Amino acid sequence: MGSTTRTATGTKARAAGPARTALPGATAPALVVVAHGSRDPRALSTVRALLGDVRALRPALPVHLGHIELNEPLLPDTLGALGDAAPAVLVPLLLSRGHHVTRDIPEMAGASPARTRVAAPLGPHPLLVDALHARLLEAGWPARVPADGAVVLASAGSRDPQSRAGTARTATHLAARLGVPVLPAYASAAAPTVPEAVRALAARGYRRVAVASCFTAPGRFATQCAAAAPWIVSAPLGTHPAMARLLLRRYDEALRTVGTAARRAAPVP
């Protein structure tokens, strides 16, 4: 009888082997970072550098990389290489919940022999806001808040309302941090676009509009959104220290969820 792979929200996918979690004292499950993939070579080098940061923070943890598309190794190949010898936690290198998180990754995991659990995406989370804020400061965001300043939070976009809701929450938290309006905008599949968001803020009297790049690495969408910036634009989040910490936070949260479920299921003597 096949087992199930569960996402952080309880979504199930069929798996080939028995469902087991690491017992206390056992080797920690591997961390599999799941990146989207990009034709831009800078994306792969950035993701590999980020994994190096994760390994530096937790040297004893096995850390692997798998892509949804476009780059090798693809996630099914990474999971196939792991086999069913040890459990793994899949952490999406994605900044909000959407089709890749709710469908694609669980389905790839369920089709593999690996014993896996899918963690939550990186956002929304205070550490993500830390990275966005820091990148804006690096780009020239002034320490003294400009009265006519505002920010467009540029992200990839998705038709999934959960994704848009997550991006909107991140925008709200970043606005609270900066003390200026932050309007979410998208490179594809959702509205408004970055140019539309810039025009909307300009119509409200905001003359200094920055673009905060809510992307994990350089790529087509990040470049497209940066080109629409009328003032300063921040770099993709990449290897900002908060990103490695956030990947490990999601990994740890997924393990705690597994541990809690196991304790609840244990028979009472």
Side-chain angles (χ1 to χ4, degrees):
M1 178 178 178
S3 67
T4 59
T5 298
R6 294 180 179 270
T7 67
T9 56
T11 301
K12 298 180 181 179
R14 296 295 298 174
R20 299 187 294 273
T21 58
L23 297 175
T27 302
L31 164 59
V32 177
V33 176
V34 185
H36 182 276
S38 171
R39 292 184 175 87
D40 190 320
R42 296 173 297 169
L44 181 56
S45 61
T46 299
V47 171
R48 285 175 171 164
L50 178 57
L51 264 64
D53 293 343
V54 172
R55 294 183 180 106
L57 288 174
R58 202 168 295 184
L61 178 64
V63 179
H64 305 275
L65 174 62
H67 292 92
I68 297 171
E69 60 181 359
L70 299 176
N71 291 122
E72 295 181 348
L74 293 171
L75 179 57
D77 295 332
T78 297
L79 296 178
L82 288 175
D84 62 356
V89 175
L90 278 56
V91 181
L93 189 59
L94 300 169
L95 302 179
S96 62
R97 191 173 302 279
H99 187 83
H100 290 315
V101 174
T102 59
R103 295 288 301 275
D104 292 340
I105 296 174
E107 286 177 3
M108 291 180 188
S112 80
R115 294 174 286 138
T116 62
R117 188 172 184 88
V118 180
L122 300 188
H125 194 278
L127 284 170
L128 178 59
V129 177
D130 288 348
L132 288 164
H133 185 205
R135 290 295 192 230
L136 278 171
L137 293 176
E138 293 168 1
W141 182 262
R144 189 170 183 176
V145 177
D148 60 348
V151 172
V152 172
L153 180 65
S155 65
S158 170
R159 292 181 180 86
D160 191 318
Q162 293 183 84
S163 177
R164 295 193 295 276
T167 303
R169 285 179 58 194
T170 297
T172 297
H173 295 321
L174 184 59
R177 179 77 60 90
L178 295 171
V180 301
V182 176
L183 184 62
Y186 307 95
S188 69
T193 65
V194 171
E196 289 169 345
V198 169
R199 288 195 295 269
L201 288 169
R204 290 161 54 186
Y206 295 100
R207 298 293 174 245
R208 287 195 280 182
V209 178
V211 172
S213 296
C214 195
F215 301 100
T216 56
R220 178 169 63 92
F221 285 163
T223 300
Q224 171 186 319
C225 292
W231 182 37
I232 61 174
V233 57
S234 63
L237 303 172
T239 55
H240 186 277
M243 296 297 286
R245 291 165 53 205
L246 183 49
L247 281 166
L248 288 169
R249 181 71 61 87
R250 292 306 196 202
Y251 169 87
D252 291 336
E253 289 170 353
L255 286 186
R256 284 197 296 272
T257 302
V258 172
T260 301
R263 287 194 295 275
R264 288 173 178 168
V268 178

